[in-house]
Amino acid sequence: MRQHPTPYKVAINIAWLKRDLRVDDNRALVAASQSGLTLPLYIIEDELWQQADMSARHWAFVAECLHDLRDQLHKAGQPLIVRRGEVTQVFEAISQQFDIEAIWSHEETGNQWTFERDKKVAAWCRLRSLPWNEIQQHGTQRRLKSRNGWAKAWDHYMAEPVMPVPTLTPLSDLELGEIPTSRDLGLRDDACLQRQSGGRENALERLHTFLNERGEYYRTQMSNPLGGETACSRLSPHLAWGTVSMREVAQITWGRQRELKAAQGLTTKNWRNALTSFSGRLHWHCHFIQKLEDEPRLEFENLHPTYNGMRPLETDVARLNAWQKGETGLPFVDACMRSLNETGWLNFRMRAMVTAIASYHLWLDWRKPGEHLARQFTDYEPGIHWPQIQMQSGTTGINAIRIYNPVKQGYDQDPDGAFVRRWVPELRDIDSCYLQEPWSASNASKVLGKDYPFPIIDYLEAAKSARQKIWAVRKGANFNTTAKAIQNKHGSRKSGVAMRGKRKKKENSPEQLDLLFDTENNNENAKKI
């Protein structure tokens, strides 16, 4: 039972900040402030940061956000308080100093560890009759019974007013708490020299320049590994860690679309197309998080159980290491992996391709490659990451099997070889016409096996073998019955309302929306190794 307030204790509400590192449009913070004195709190959980999907580059980004957030909250009246430890013990310690009236936070669709932690927090609160109010963070809905009407609800939620920055009353006798470095947390050094920087100003700058300067050729450049660096919004780490809210991004984007519509004319056509594509992706952000929210086992188990046992659970370490380091001998794949290691980012198509290479050509179970990619993506968002990893690995049972041809992708997406030359300098002496398949060059013997490895697989034979194994599974007796049940639970629905700024068009399958999953042509007639 909750103890009666001690007379000399000050009553407070805790705004527990997690993946919502902002003061603008932060409903949890506003709700706490409207209930009384508010303690804005971030808790560093060592056990969380030791999980296999977390990394030093994540923490580096978060630490920058926390420093910035502390400044923002100071201007609002009460600087950010940072504590380190197990969450309920932190709350317990705070309760020795203050009378906690309620805890406020946004709903979090995190990894299994945060899911289990939240259950402990809920139990701790119940034991003390202490309210823990979790508020919807974006378009993902908790305890969703059906996907019917989901898209319409997303639109309505995003159209609600953006919440103003609350005014907070300073709390006395509080140590702010140190914001440690990744080494202080015992995280393995992770040199990501071209990582994006955290903080709200960087988020707003990315949003403004994308909508007004960089994004005009988003639709045509999004899959280009070099052009996409500039043409894509690059908002993903900021949305993942909450320096800007999805509602803010959606409403500012809609405003820009209205401006373009009013201007009309040929000069605005590229912009209008670009922002239609981008607006669609904002929906898909929450659509994928909804999958993990509804089915947390997605992080560990094949969504379609018929695929269980198809790939060996014991990892081929040599293949995994070669793929992680960008040393597979497939230039375009290696360039993507090295780029990711250095920058913390890849465009969507390249993410899909490197995942497919690991899952199909290298025939690795998706869990270990998925953990590696989670650590490398600065914008790691569990709710998007794990459903995408399963989708690109062909284990959902409801998505098309896409076995990318890494050589064809290189020719298509990097026709002049600039991306490969940037990240695979060992191929400097290979003529550009052979850059994507250096084994065909006349001087191959002077490079391969010396400065750069021979391919660790025959990519065409590996793709053929994978395709046969996958389709053998899909011909099983109960495959379609289970797949239909999965589609009914997780598949997107046509909303019945026009997406803002989007022109009506025919679509074969909402789940295979071109915006996310451009048609892939696996070219069996590509040049052989």
Side-chain angles (χ1 to χ4, degrees):
M1 294 294 291
R2 187 182 180 191
Q3 296 179 346
H4 291 293
T6 306
Y8 56 81
K9 284 185 178 179
V10 175
I12 61 164
N13 286 264
I14 293 178
W16 180 20
L17 304 170
K18 298 193 280 187
R19 280 180 173 259
D20 51 349
L21 305 180
R22 62 180 183 275
V23 295
D24 297 77
D25 199 35
N26 190 319
R27 291 192 168 189
L29 181 64
V30 170
S33 69
Q34 291 173 342
S35 299
L37 287 174
T38 299
L39 190 158
L41 176 69
Y42 183 86
I43 302 173
I44 302 166
E45 302 162 275
D46 286 76
E47 191 174 336
L48 168 63
W49 290 95
Q50 295 303 320
Q51 297 302 303
D53 54 348
M54 306 302 285
S55 67
R57 67 181 61 187
H58 296 155
W59 176 254
F61 186 90
V62 169
E64 291 166 357
C65 295
L66 293 178
H67 284 290
D68 180 60
L69 180 59
R70 178 166 280 172
D71 291 340
Q72 294 175 51
L73 282 163
H74 180 76
K75 293 174 184 174
Q78 170 57 52
L80 177 69
I81 302 301
V82 174
R83 293 291 181 265
R84 183 174 173 180
E86 193 276 326
V87 173
T88 60
Q89 293 178 7
V90 170
F91 288 149
E92 192 68 47
I94 293 174
S95 71
Q96 301 303 310
Q97 186 175 359
F98 297 97
D99 176 40
I100 304 174
E101 292 190 322
I103 297 172
W104 301 82
S105 75
H106 278 118
E107 294 171 345
E108 179 182 10
T109 306
N111 60 15
Q112 183 67 22
W113 189 91
T114 65
F115 180 63
E116 295 296 334
R117 174 255 278 147
D118 281 355
K119 290 197 292 188
K120 291 180 185 175
V121 172
W124 184 86
C125 289
R126 279 197 302 273
L127 189 64
R128 289 155 183 77
S129 298
L130 180 65
W132 177 20
N133 304 296
E134 294 184 276
I135 299 173
Q136 186 175 342
Q137 166 82 313
H138 39 61
T140 305
Q141 302 172 40
R142 187 151 286 183
R143 291 177 282 278
L144 184 69
K145 294 181 179 178
S146 169
R147 276 301 190 106
N148 295 337
W150 187 91
K152 188 175 182 179
W154 188 98
D155 254 19
H156 287 166
Y157 179 85
M158 295 304 162
E160 291 176 0
V162 168
M163 301 299 286
V165 177
T167 299
L168 304 178
T169 301
L171 295 168
S172 58
D173 301 327
L174 265 177
E175 291 289 335
L176 295 186
E178 296 292 327
I179 300 173
T181 66
S182 58
R183 285 194 174 184
D184 294 333
L185 292 182
L187 299 175
R188 187 170 60 181
D189 286 344
D190 177 16
C192 185
L193 301 179
Q194 298 182 48
R195 174 182 59 79
Q196 286 184 247
S197 299
R200 181 168 172 82
E201 284 303 314
N202 286 314
L204 296 178
E205 184 273 343
R206 292 289 82 189
L207 179 58
H208 176 79
T209 58
F210 172 70
L211 294 177
N212 296 280
E213 300 168 15
R214 298 182 291 111
E216 181 174 5
Y217 299 102
Y218 173 71
R219 177 173 284 185
T220 57
Q221 290 294 303
M222 66 171 74
S223 295
N224 183 298
L226 286 176
E229 287 183 357
T230 301
C232 290
S233 76
R234 308 303 303 273
L235 281 168
S236 55
H238 295 286
L239 287 170
W241 298 103
T243 59
V244 64
S245 77
M246 177 58 77
R247 185 188 291 107
E248 290 179 286
V249 173
Q251 293 191 11
I252 293 172
T253 300
W254 295 341
R256 176 67 172 140
Q257 286 181 295
R258 287 192 292 271
E259 287 179 5
L260 293 167
K261 185 177 181 181
Q264 283 293 344
L266 291 177
T267 57
T268 64
K269 183 179 180 181
N270 290 331
W271 273 111
R272 284 183 279 122
N273 289 339
L275 297 194
T276 297
S277 295
F278 180 67
S279 185
R281 272 177 158 72
L282 298 183
H283 285 73
W284 285 90
H285 166 279
C286 304
H287 165 77
F288 279 97
I289 295 177
Q290 187 72 57
K291 292 173 186 270
L292 189 65
E293 173 66 31
D294 294 343
E295 199 140 1
R297 72 179 182 89
L298 261 167
E299 185 182 348
F300 303 106
E301 300 176 11
N302 292 322
L303 182 58
H304 197 304
T306 305
Y307 290 108
N308 292 344
M310 183 179 67
R311 294 184 176 98
L313 286 175
E314 186 172 347
T315 303
D316 185 323
V317 176
R319 286 190 172 193
L320 179 65
N321 286 340
W323 174 79
Q324 290 177 342
K325 294 177 181 177
E327 297 176 352
T328 67
L330 300 167
F332 194 55
V333 175
D334 291 343
C336 288
M337 295 304 291
R338 296 180 190 189
S339 170
L340 171 61
N341 294 341
E342 183 78 8
T343 69
W345 182 83
L346 275 180
N347 65 33
F348 173 77
R349 178 179 281 267
M350 301 303 98
R351 295 183 191 217
M353 184 193 71
V354 298
T355 303
I357 293 295
S359 296
Y360 295 118
H361 300 76
L362 303 182
W363 204 241
L364 299 172
D365 183 89
W366 51 267
R367 294 164 182 84
K368 288 296 180 184
E371 288 175 356
H372 175 75
L373 291 175
R375 291 191 294 270
Q376 301 306 94
F377 292 145
T378 308
D379 55 19
Y380 171 52
E381 171 70 73
I384 297 175
H385 184 76
W386 294 111
Q388 282 286 341
I389 290 292
Q390 288 224 31
M391 177 179 290
Q392 304 306 338
S393 300
T395 52
T396 67
I398 61 173
N399 303 109
I401 301 299
R402 300 187 185 284
I403 304 178
Y404 287 69
N405 180 324
V407 172
K408 182 177 183 299
Q409 283 298 303
Y411 284 122
D412 288 350
Q413 307 302 331
D414 185 31
D416 61 1
F419 182 67
V420 168
R421 291 205 182 281
R422 176 175 169 183
W423 294 106
V424 191
E426 304 99 298
L427 298 177
R428 65 179 68 84
D429 294 330
I430 298 294
D431 191 89
S432 291
C433 64
Y434 298 113
L435 195 59
Q436 304 297 344
E437 42 188 343
W439 47 85
S440 299
S442 59
N443 60 340
S445 62
K446 296 181 179 178
V447 178
L448 302 187
K450 297 174 181 175
D451 295 332
Y452 186 69
F454 285 101
I456 62 173
I457 49 152
D458 179 329
Y459 72 92
L460 289 177
E461 286 299 321
K464 182 179 179 181
S465 173
R467 189 175 296 109
Q468 291 172 342
K469 292 172 183 173
I470 288 281
W471 282 104
V473 169
R474 293 172 70 97
K475 290 178 181 177
N478 297 320
F479 182 89
N480 287 335
T481 301
T482 303
K484 286 179 181 176
I486 293 171
Q487 175 66 31
N488 186 53
K489 181 173 183 178
H490 294 289
S492 62
R493 310 287 201 274
K494 290 184 177 179
S495 65
V497 296
M499 187 183 298
R500 292 171 189 269
K502 186 175 182 181
R503 189 178 301 167
K504 284 186 176 180
K505 67 175 184 178
K506 293 182 179 179
E507 294 177 353
N508 294 326
S509 167
E511 188 72 355
Q512 295 296 328
L513 188 66
D514 283 348
L515 296 177
L516 273 179
F517 310 112
D518 292 346
T519 302
E520 173 60 22
N521 299 310
N522 296 298
N523 185 0
E524 290 287 355
N525 297 319
K527 295 177 181 177
K528 295 185 177 180
I529 296 174

